[in-house]
Each structure stands twice: as structure tokens, then as C-alpha cells.
Amino acid sequence: MSFDSRLLSGIGVVVAVVEAGSFARAGEAMGLTQPAVSRAVARLEERVGIRIFNRTARAISLTDEGRRFYETVAPLLAGIEDAAVSAGNSKAFVRGRLRVNVDGTFGHYVLAPRLGAFLDRHPELAVEIVVRDTVGDLVAEGVDVAVRFGVPEPSSLTKILLRETRVLTCAAPTYVATHGLPEHPDALAKGHQCLLIRDPATGRPFQWEFQRGEEVIPFATSSRLMVNDTGSLLGTCLSGAGVAQLLEIYARDLIAQERLVHLLPDWADETFPLYAFHHSSNLISAKVRVFLEYVRDLVS
């Protein structure tokens, strides 16, 4: 197959359709009519000999062959654009649209309050935050990168460890005034109300443990109050309802503001990982790279 400019143009249209989620929105983004987008996709499908999209009256989706094709060409196309802009010494090296998948708590408490500074650094970049309970299908949803806490499930996605954050045991000052400060993890089993959060992967509550150096104490607890998201866990803990184990990234500002008390600080060496996921194993675009560098700074 000989190369010509129409091949590269068609690839660009396919990437735009995946990112936009429809032929019509891709056309709006590229300044093309919907029929022009359809013709460009059809020409490319004929050229490469595969059907890239399943089309219905209501929706489109990538075929299996189309998914493999997109996963291969999308990072290459981004790399070509990055190289061209870099070679021109443009100040707008990081540009385009970045779609980020995060869970609601990370988006609300960490990313959203600090995203303005990131946009100020990169005026040619547009960012869309997509809140999901799970990483999901990055390709089908046109997502560039996902950020998630926890040990990742096996998948074909490329994962990058951004940080290990400590797990802190916390309670509101009103709770401490009533129930006192525990001096050892075992004391929590006597007269304390522990707040639990359900693990979505197992359906059971996350188990507690306390770590001091190499010493680890598993802590089996029951509770009259269980939630299934970190935002609710933070809210109930702040209300004085009980003791919670919270990630340091969510608790540290509240501790500094004296809205929470850090209990058992000598037993706070347990950590929980923060990962980023993207669908290219070989190349990472400039916009994803600078975003991940920014997130690393946020969580450090």
C-alpha cells in the first residue's frame, strides 16, 4: 500500500470520531459536514480493508479490528503532531483536547480545585473531566488517561504508578472530645465507632490494618455505619460519627485546618497506590505527559 496524504487525513478523521463519539460532533470539531466525515471514514475502511465502526441509527462503536487499528494509530498521530509543533518551536506545544477519567472523590477534592493553574500553563489545551466509578473502556469513550487509587486489575492498559499515599486514621474533634484519644490500635475495639467503606471489587468492607515500620496489626472491625464512596466517608467522619481510615491526600488539609484529628500517628505507615492508565504501550502524547507530571506534583 502506497502512502498519500488522504491516508493520514482519514486517520485524523477516525481519531476525531472516536474522541467526539459521533460523526456529527467530529465534523463540527473539524469544520466538516457529517457526510464528509462519513465519506472519509468509508475511504479509509476501503483502503485498509477493515470495517472500523459499527453504525446504527442511534450510535457508533468501534469494531474489534477498528479498536486495534485506533489503539495503534492514535498515539502515532499524536506523536506526529507533537513533533511538528516542537520542530516549529511553538509555545503552544501542548494543545488539543485532553479527556481524563477519574473517580468522583479524586475529581472533587484533588483535581478540580487545582485545574485552573494547569490550564493557565497550557492555554492551547482543553480538558474534559469524566467522572466514572471504574476505569472502563478508554478507547470506546475516547479517554486519553485515567487516574485511580488501588491495586489495578489485570488489563491491556499501560499503567504508571504515580504515588504511594499513606492511610491515616482520623476522627472529628467533637468525636475525640467525647470518646478520647486511643493510645494503641487495640483500643479502637473498646467503645469506639469505626466507619467502614465497601470495596467495589469484592462487595465487602475494606479491611483495616495498622503498620509501624515492619510491624503490621490486622484489625477486624464491625460497624453500624458503612458507605460505598470516599466522599460519604469524609462527610460522616467530619460530622463526628466515628473513626475512619482516610487517604492522606484527602485528609491532610482537613487535619491542618483542625477539622480532623490524626489518631495513632505512630501507626500510619500503610500506603495505597495511585495509578494512571492509558492505552498506548509505546508512545505517550505531550498533553498526557504534562498532565501526569502535574498530578504527581498535586499528590506529592
Side-chain angles (χ1 to χ4, degrees):
M1 181 190 304
S2 61
F3 178 84
D4 63 41
S5 60
R6 288 176 298 177
L7 180 62
L8 186 59
S9 175
I11 292 171
V13 171
V14 166
V15 171
V17 171
V18 173
E19 292 180 346
S22 75
F23 284 20
R25 287 194 294 271
E28 292 173 3
M30 302 186 74
L32 300 173
T33 64
Q34 181 173 340
V37 172
S38 297
R39 288 194 298 270
V41 171
R43 283 196 300 267
L44 184 64
E45 288 178 326
E46 182 178 359
R47 185 72 182 277
V48 299
I50 63 171
R51 188 168 183 82
I52 297 175
F53 292 105
N54 293 312
R55 303 165 176 84
T56 69
R58 297 185 175 215
I60 61 166
S61 62
L62 285 165
T63 64
D64 290 341
E65 295 86 354
R67 177 187 299 275
R68 289 192 291 270
F69 181 76
Y70 173 80
E71 289 176 340
T72 301
V73 301
L76 296 174
L77 189 64
I80 292 171
E81 182 177 4
D82 290 347
V85 177
S86 179
N89 295 318
S90 171
K91 293 182 180 179
F93 177 44
V94 178
R95 65 181 184 180
R97 173 176 163 273
L98 178 69
R99 204 158 192 247
V100 181
N101 172 313
V102 296
D103 66 80
T105 306
F106 186 84
H108 179 80
Y109 288 97
V110 179
L111 188 56
R114 300 168 178 86
L115 201 54
F118 178 72
L119 293 173
D120 289 342
R121 289 185 194 178
H122 307 290
E124 297 298 319
L125 184 65
V127 177
E128 180 180 355
I129 303 299
V130 180
V131 173
R132 293 284 190 272
D133 292 334
T134 61
V135 172
D137 190 333
L138 301 189
V139 174
E141 297 182 5
V143 171
D144 297 290
V145 60
V147 178
R148 279 292 186 284
F149 276 107
V151 178
E153 297 289 330
S155 78
S156 61
L157 295 172
T158 298
K159 60 181 182 292
I160 302 170
L161 179 62
L162 298 178
R163 179 173 172 78
E164 294 275 359
T165 189
R166 292 194 304 161
V167 179
L168 307 184
T169 305
C170 301
T174 54
Y175 179 91
V176 172
T178 302
H179 296 84
L181 286 169
E183 297 182 358
H184 189 273
D186 291 343
L188 289 176
K190 304 171 184 177
H192 283 278
Q193 176 67 37
C194 297
L195 308 175
L196 301 183
I197 182 170
R198 190 181 299 277
D199 181 349
T202 65
R204 298 187 296 272
F206 279 103
Q207 293 302 302
W208 287 22
E209 68 177 37
F210 295 89
Q211 184 173 344
R212 181 175 63 183
E214 297 299 318
E215 185 179 4
V216 178
I217 299 178
F219 184 77
T221 181
S222 59
S223 176
R224 295 171 54 216
L225 181 58
M226 187 186 314
V227 299
N228 70 346
D229 75 293
T230 304
S232 297
L233 186 65
L234 279 166
T236 54
C237 188
L238 285 165
S239 74
V243 179
Q245 287 204 324
L246 302 167
L247 297 182
E248 184 176 18
I249 192 172
Y250 300 135
R252 60 188 178 189
D253 288 346
L254 297 169
I255 294 170
Q257 297 162 9
E258 299 184 348
R259 297 177 62 195
L260 286 179
V261 179
H262 183 193
L263 310 180
L264 304 166
D266 293 338
W267 292 89
D269 291 336
E270 180 191 1
T271 62
F272 205 57
L274 177 67
Y275 279 94
F277 302 87
H278 63 97
H279 47 72
S280 169
S281 59
N282 299 315
L283 296 173
I284 184 168
S285 66
K287 60 187 179 181
V288 171
R289 185 171 60 253
V290 297
F291 174 76
L292 294 183
E293 289 170 356
Y294 189 70
V295 171
R296 281 194 181 97
D297 289 341
L298 289 183
V299 300
S300 62

